[in-house]
Amino acid sequence: MRFIKSLTIKIVIIMIFISTYTFAQNNEGQFHGNFQVDAQVYRNDSAIGATVPPEKMGLNSYANFNYTKGNFTAGLRYEGYMNALLGYDDEYDGIGVPFRFITYQTDELEVTVGNFYEQFGNGLIFRSYEDKALGYDNAMDGIKIKYNPFPGLYLKGFTGKQRSYFSQGPGIVRGLDGELFINDFFNALSNSRSQFIIGGSFISKFQKDEDPLFNLPENVGSFAGRATYIRGGFNLSAEYAYKYPDPSADNGFITKYGDAVLINATYSAKGLGVYLSIKRVDNMSFRSDRTATLNNLQINYIPAITKNHTYSLAAMYPYATQPNGEIGLQGEIIYNFPKETTLGGAYGTNISVNFSRINSLKTTKTAGHSGYTSDYLGIGDELYFQDINVKIHKKISSKWKAELNYLNIIYNKDVIQGLAGYGTIHANIAIADVTYKFKPKHTFRVELQGLFTEQDHGNWAMGLLEYTLAPRWFVNISDQYNYGNKEDQLHYFNVAAGYKKGANRIQLGYGRQREGIVCIGGVCRSVPAASGFNISITSSF
C-alpha cells in the first residue's frame, strides 16, 4: 500500500510538471518555482556530545511549482526528508506532496481550494505559515474565500484542517475576518491626513471529545478586534483577543478563559525612529488538537516583542513566547547623526537603543477546574527575560565601515526552555563587525564577539574572517571558544564557502554545531550538538 501511494505521488508530480512546462513553452501561461536542498554528513565528536545517526546523513529537500494563466493559479510543493536533518522532528520522514492548491482570482473575489496560508490581524487568534529553519508548517487544507465587495472593505473566510507532517490534525478550524479602511469607505474622509482602519476576527475549532476522564468542549471559539490610526509619521495599532475555555495539555486541562492584548506605536521623522510595543498574554495556547505539544497544530501566533538578534553569541539566549502567561514591553529609538556634524562625521552615524522586558503574570490559584485568576494590570514577580542593547553603525571612509553592539541579557532558562535546575542567566555581550572594501568587488570582513557570564557554560569568544568577491564568491572561517566552561573548554570551528550565479546558489561547510535552541519571532526548536560536512543548494526559475 505504501509503495502504491509513493508511486502515485511520483506520477502526479511528473504529470503536473510536464503539463505546466508545456503550457509555459507555448506562451499559454507562466510557470515558475524554486527548490532547496540542505544536507549534512555527520561524524562522531565525543567532545561536544555529537553522535552519528544510523543513516549517517540527513537531507531536507523542497521544490515549489506554480503555474498561472488568466485568473487561475495552481501549484504544489514537493518535500523529501531522507532522513531529516538532526534537530527536525522524526515525523518528517520520507517524501510527499503536502501542499497543493488551485486559486481563482478577480478584482473582487479570490477562491482557493486545497492548501493555503493566512493570518488575521497580528495572528493572536489565527496565523497559518511555514518556516523551514524551524521545521514549522501549519498549512491549512480546505477552502478559503476573500471578497472585496466595496472599496475599503475586505472580507475573508475559510474552513479546513491543519497540516501535521505528512498528514492532518484531527480538528476542524473555521474562521471569518473583516477589515474596513474607513478613509476608502467614506468619500468625505478620502483626503484626510488621518487614516483609520478597524477589523475583527472569529475562529472556532471542532474536535471530538474522546477523553475518558474529562468532559471537554468539542467546539471552542475565539474572537479578536483591532484598530489602527495613522497620521504622518505616527502609527498606533491595538488588538485584543479573547478565547473561550479550552482545556488542553498546554494549560493542564483547566477551564479558564484566555485573552491577549498587543499595542504597537511607531513614529518616524527625518533621521529619527521610535518604536514601543506592549503585550499581555494569558492562557492563549490554541491548537486544533488539545493533546498536541511543541510546535504542532498551533492555530494562533503570539508575536515576540523582543529583538531578534542575528550575531551568533547574541542569539545564544533567544526568547520563546510563553502563551500560558506573560506581560512585557519593548521600546527602541533609532537616530541618524547627520553628515558633517561632530558625531556624524563625513558619512553620518546611526545609533539604536533597544530595551525589552518580559515578566510573569500576577496570579492567584483557585479551587476547581478554573486553575487560577490573574490581576489584569499586575506584573508578576518572576522575570522571564530582559534585553538592553545598543548598536552603532558607522561608515568611516569609502573603504571602511564598522558596526558595534553591546547587549545586557537576563535569561530565565528554566522557564523559556522548559527545563529545571539552570536558573537565571546574566550575560553581557560585545560585538565588533568591521568591513574593508579594498577593491570595488573585493571585501574583507572581521567579526569579533565576546559573551561574559558566570552562569550556564561560562564565557565565550567568537571570531570570524570572511572574504567576498561580489557578486558570486564568498568564503569564511569562524570559531566559537567556550573558554569560561569549568568542565570542558571547547572550540566550535567552522569553515564555509559559497558561489552564486543568477538565481542559483551553493554553499559548502564543515565544522561543529553547538547544542541550543533556534528562535524566530518567539517560535523555537531545539538544536542538538552535531559535527560534519554540510551543503545547501537553492535555485529559482
Side-chain angles (χ1 to χ4, degrees):
M1 185 69 182
R2 187 171 182 177
F3 170 78
I4 295 175
K5 180 179 179 181
S6 176
L7 181 62
T8 302
I9 291 172
K10 293 178 181 178
I11 293 173
V12 169
I13 292 174
I14 293 171
M15 290 178 64
I16 293 177
F17 180 83
I18 292 175
S19 60
T20 52
Y21 181 78
T22 302
F23 281 135
Q25 291 296 304
N26 293 332
N27 295 319
E28 295 188 10
Q30 295 183 352
F31 179 55
H32 58 89
N34 64 280
F35 73 85
Q36 176 178 335
V37 176
D38 298 312
Q40 182 163 359
V41 177
Y42 299 101
R43 72 177 186 89
N44 284 314
D45 193 336
S46 58
I48 64 172
T51 58
V52 176
E55 63 274 13
K56 297 184 179 181
M57 174 181 172
L59 185 146
N60 295 3
S61 58
Y62 318 90
N64 292 285
F65 303 98
N66 294 292
Y67 174 72
T68 300
K69 181 181 180 182
N71 295 334
F72 286 92
T73 299
L76 59 82
R77 181 168 69 242
Y78 160 91
E79 294 183 12
Y81 304 91
M82 297 169 280
N83 286 345
L85 294 170
L86 293 180
Y88 288 81
D89 199 297
D90 291 339
E91 292 294 327
Y92 285 115
D93 181 28
I95 64 172
V97 183
F99 193 92
R100 70 282 181 272
F101 72 95
I102 297 177
T103 296
Y104 172 77
Q105 183 175 8
T106 65
D107 292 339
E108 297 179 353
L109 178 68
E110 178 183 313
V111 179
T112 298
V113 177
N115 297 107
F116 56 86
Y117 299 108
E118 188 56 74
Q119 177 172 324
F120 291 173
N122 292 291
L124 296 182
I125 64 170
F126 178 69
R127 185 188 186 193
S128 179
Y129 74 108
E130 63 105 9
D131 192 311
K132 293 181 177 62
L134 295 174
Y136 185 95
D137 191 343
N138 65 342
M140 299 300 303
D141 191 356
I143 182 169
K144 178 181 69 171
I145 299 174
K146 292 184 177 182
Y147 186 44
N148 176 211
F150 309 106
L153 179 61
Y154 300 89
L155 304 174
K156 305 175 187 176
F158 75 88
T159 184
K161 289 190 171 186
Q162 291 183 289
R163 176 183 178 180
S164 178
Y165 307 106
F166 282 114
S167 184
Q168 296 175 338
I172 300 173
V173 184
R174 293 117 353 154
L176 294 171
D177 180 79
E179 191 163 60
L180 179 64
F181 288 71
I182 294 178
N183 297 65
D184 295 336
F185 193 79
F186 296 100
N187 292 330
L189 297 174
S190 59
N191 296 320
S192 174
R193 293 180 56 197
S194 299
Q195 299 181 53
F196 303 89
I197 306 169
I198 58 173
S201 310
F202 179 78
I203 292 287
S204 73
K205 69 163 184 177
F206 171 78
Q207 182 185 7
K208 292 182 179 180
D209 177 17
E210 299 175 340
D211 194 289
L213 300 177
F214 300 100
N215 182 19
L216 302 175
E218 294 188 325
N219 290 279
V220 176
S222 182
F223 64 83
R226 60 188 185 271
T228 300
Y229 170 72
I230 304 171
R231 185 179 178 91
F234 179 73
N235 185 310
L236 175 64
S237 65
E239 182 170 4
Y240 174 78
Y242 180 93
K243 178 171 66 74
Y244 288 93
D246 181 23
S248 69
D250 283 333
N251 61 20
F253 290 92
I254 63 174
T255 58
K256 184 184 184 300
Y257 71 88
D259 71 340
V261 62
L262 177 64
I263 302 172
N264 295 314
T266 61
Y267 175 75
S268 62
K270 185 178 181 180
L272 175 66
V274 181
Y275 169 77
L276 177 65
S277 182
I278 300 172
K279 180 178 68 171
R280 183 187 187 276
V281 179
D282 186 2
N283 192 30
M284 276 300 290
S285 175
F286 197 21
R287 304 177 189 258
S288 59
D289 181 358
R290 61 178 72 92
T291 64
T293 57
L294 301 176
N295 289 332
N296 299 320
L297 298 171
Q298 297 185 52
I299 297 174
N300 64 335
Y301 169 74
I302 307 298
I305 57 170
T306 57
K307 192 162 186 175
N308 189 31
H309 298 290
T310 56
Y311 288 103
S312 58
L313 295 188
M316 185 175 289
Y317 298 119
Y319 184 68
T321 301
Q322 304 298 304
N324 282 341
E326 64 176 25
I327 184 169
L329 60 83
Q330 178 183 202
E332 185 170 41
I333 298 176
I334 303 172
Y335 186 73
N336 284 309
F337 291 95
K339 300 177 181 179
E340 308 302 334
T341 62
T342 302
L343 295 177
Y347 295 92
T349 302
N350 178 274
I351 183 170
S352 66
V353 180
N354 178 277
F355 171 81
S356 59
R357 182 182 175 97
I358 311 293
N359 274 67
S360 63
L361 298 179
K362 189 174 183 179
T363 62
T364 302
K365 290 185 179 181
T366 59
H369 297 296
S370 59
Y372 65 92
T373 60
S374 58
D375 181 351
Y376 206 85
L377 298 179
I379 299 176
D381 296 330
E382 188 171 15
L383 175 63
Y384 291 167
F385 183 82
Q386 180 176 289
D387 180 6
I388 304 172
N389 58 84
V390 180
K391 179 178 74 173
I392 301 173
H393 183 84
K394 174 69 176 174
K395 184 177 180 181
I396 302 169
S397 69
S398 60
K399 294 186 176 182
W400 290 91
K401 67 178 180 180
E403 182 174 303
L404 304 176
N405 288 263
Y406 167 76
L407 300 85
N408 177 273
I409 290 178
I410 302 175
Y411 183 86
N412 191 327
K413 189 169 182 175
D414 290 348
V415 170
I416 296 172
Q417 296 191 24
L419 303 172
Y422 288 89
T424 297
I425 298 164
H426 297 256
N428 290 284
I429 303 169
I431 302 166
D433 187 344
V434 180
T435 301
Y436 175 63
K437 182 178 289 188
F438 53 92
K439 289 183 180 180
K441 293 184 179 181
H442 298 255
T443 303
F444 185 70
R445 187 169 72 91
V446 178
E447 188 179 304
L448 299 174
Q449 303 181 40
L451 185 153
F452 312 98
T453 180
E454 297 181 359
Q455 297 85 38
D456 203 28
H457 299 293
N459 298 337
W460 289 77
M462 184 270 186
L464 177 143
L465 302 175
E466 183 176 76
Y467 169 71
T468 301
L469 177 57
R472 294 186 177 178
W473 292 95
F474 84 87
V475 60
N476 65 49
I477 182 172
S478 67
D479 184 29
Q480 295 182 28
Y481 178 36
N482 190 195
Y483 69 91
N485 194 328
K486 297 178 181 179
E487 297 179 359
D488 294 303
Q489 296 180 351
L490 302 171
H491 286 271
Y492 289 80
F493 176 83
N494 279 276
V495 60
Y499 175 76
K500 180 180 180 182
K501 183 177 181 181
N504 305 312
R505 184 179 186 274
I506 181 171
Q507 178 175 323
L508 299 170
Y510 174 79
R512 286 173 164 178
Q513 172 184 282
R514 60 176 171 79
E515 182 181 14
I517 62 172
V518 174
C519 296
I520 301 175
V523 180
C524 305
R525 73 174 176 91
S526 297
V527 177
S531 182
F533 293 92
N534 59 79
I535 182 172
S536 178
I537 303 172
T538 60
S539 181
S540 60
F541 52 89

